[in-house]
Amino acid sequence: MKTKRKNYSELFLILSIVFVTCLILSNILAAKLLKVGDYSLPGGVLVFPISYIINDLLSEVYGYEKTKKVIYIGFIMNLFMVLVFSLAIILPAPIFYENNAAFKTILGSTPRNCCASLVAYLFGSLVNSKVLVKMKNNSNNRFGVRAIISTICGEFIDSMLFATIAFLGNISINQIITMIVIQVIFKTLYETICLPVTSLVVKKAKDYEK
């Protein structure tokens, strides 16, 4: 009995690669803190919202099941990155190499932060995709409305899980709540600003995939 081959278009593969790349970059950039007014945000906010935009695009054009596979691949590759960085840090460096401490500071990750990042990404991304597709199936809402609502839901789950797992017990509950609210607002605003471009790309992608 022959198994049916699953064909994926070039556009789907390109979007999947960009999605995973943005995810990995956001976790590397998280070592840098950015000052936004009176608040601090991880450097990952520069590219992480792009992964949510692509998540919306994949969910809208290809559906939840295919998007879920891309999310799982992102999770696996992120875990692989962490393991490789950890191995590189553990292995001895030559005496003349002076940047070992800096390498460890930037690319190292505590088990708690690593767990927080992975869990938050996985559930936040899945919720974002599921909400967008459910709203598409159950109503005639425009893509822009669904994209914003699904982003708020996904980013809230992502930020809540990360802040709680990573910082509970180390900082106050009020600080954790503030961190969650600020990240959700910033990332949702990021996607809202990019929405006209996202909507145009969705339309072009649908035309491409017919």
Side-chain angles (χ1 to χ4, degrees), residues 13 49-50 67 143 151 160 172 176 191 200 209:
L13 293 175
I50 297 175
T67 304
F143 168 74
T151 295
M160 180 188 67
S172 69
I176 290 176
E191 174 154 346
L200 178 61
E209 298 291 1

Side-chain angles (χ1 to χ4, degrees), residues 119-132:
V119 171
Y121 153 74
L122 181 62
F123 285 98
S125 297
L126 289 174
V127 167
N128 179 78
S129 179
K130 191 70 172 180
V131 169
L132 189 144

Side-chain angles (χ1 to χ4, degrees), residues 146-203:
R146 290 184 278 110
I148 297 302
I149 294 176
S150 64
T151 295
I152 292 173
C153 294
E155 292 289 6
F156 174 74
I157 295 297
D158 182 285
S159 300
M160 180 188 67
L161 288 173
F162 178 79
T164 303
I165 296 173
F167 301 112
L168 186 63
N170 293 334
I171 62 177
S172 69
I173 297 296
N174 287 339
Q175 287 176 304
I176 290 176
I177 293 173
T178 300
M179 184 183 299
I180 293 170
V181 171
I182 293 299
Q183 290 202 43
V184 171
I185 291 174
F186 180 86
K187 293 175 182 177
T188 303
L189 181 62
Y190 189 116
E191 174 154 346
T192 303
I193 293 172
C194 295
L195 189 58
V197 177
T198 306
S199 299
L200 178 61
V201 175
V202 165
K203 183 179 182 302

Side-chain angles (χ1 to χ4, degrees), residues 5 8 11 17 24 32-33 41 43 47-48 50 59 70 88 106 109 112 117 126 129 133 137 140 160 188 197 207:
R5 290 187 62 185
Y8 296 96
L11 179 60
I17 292 169
I24 291 175
K32 164 75 173 183
L33 287 178
L41 291 173
V47 294
F48 187 72
I50 297 175
S59 302
V70 178
I106 300 300
S109 178
R112 183 173 180 177
S117 176
L126 289 174
S129 179
V133 173
N137 293 338
N140 293 319
M160 180 188 67
T188 303
V197 177
D207 292 341

Side-chain angles (χ1 to χ4, degrees), residues 2-197:
K2 290 185 177 180
T3 57
K4 186 178 179 180
R5 290 187 62 185
K6 296 181 180 179
N7 296 320
Y8 296 96
S9 69
E10 288 185 5
L11 179 60
F12 179 82
L13 293 175
I14 291 170
L15 291 171
S16 301
I17 292 169
V18 174
F19 177 87
V20 175
T21 301
C22 287
L23 171 64
I24 291 175
L25 276 174
S26 69
N27 283 294
I28 295 173
L29 289 170
K32 164 75 173 183
L33 287 178
L34 305 177
K35 188 177 185 302
V36 181
D38 296 328
Y39 303 99
S40 297
L41 291 173
V45 298
L46 294 174
V47 294
F48 187 72
I50 297 175
S51 67
Y52 266 72
I53 292 172
I54 297 177
N55 186 320
D56 289 343
L57 175 56
L58 291 170
S59 302
E60 177 73 10
V61 179
Y62 302 100
Y64 177 70
E65 291 303 319
K66 283 188 176 181
T67 304
K68 183 169 65 173
K69 292 178 181 178
V70 178
I71 292 170
Y72 286 156
I73 291 171
F75 179 87
I76 293 170
M77 296 312 299
N78 193 24
L79 180 59
F80 176 71
M81 177 193 70
V82 171
L83 293 175
V84 172
F85 282 164
S86 299
L87 179 61
I89 290 170
I90 292 171
L91 293 175
I95 297 175
F96 60 82
Y97 184 69
E98 300 177 352
N99 298 319
N100 205 46
F103 183 89
K104 182 178 179 180
T105 299
I106 300 300
L107 300 179
S109 178
T110 65
R112 183 173 180 177
N113 284 345
C114 178
C115 178
S117 176
L118 290 171
V119 171
Y121 153 74
L122 181 62
F123 285 98
S125 297
L126 289 174
V127 167
N128 179 78
S129 179
K130 191 70 172 180
V131 169
L132 189 144
V133 173
K134 277 290 186 181
M135 289 184 67
K136 180 180 180 181
N137 293 338
N138 297 334
S139 69
N140 293 319
N141 289 330
R142 295 173 58 187
F143 168 74
V145 175
R146 290 184 278 110
I148 297 302
I149 294 176
S150 64
T151 295
I152 292 173
C153 294
E155 292 289 6
F156 174 74
I157 295 297
D158 182 285
S159 300
M160 180 188 67
L161 288 173
F162 178 79
T164 303
I165 296 173
F167 301 112
L168 186 63
N170 293 334
I171 62 177
S172 69
I173 297 296
N174 287 339
Q175 287 176 304
I176 290 176
I177 293 173
T178 300
M179 184 183 299
I180 293 170
V181 171
I182 293 299
Q183 290 202 43
V184 171
I185 291 174
F186 180 86
K187 293 175 182 177
T188 303
L189 181 62
Y190 189 116
E191 174 154 346
T192 303
I193 293 172
C194 295
L195 189 58
V197 177

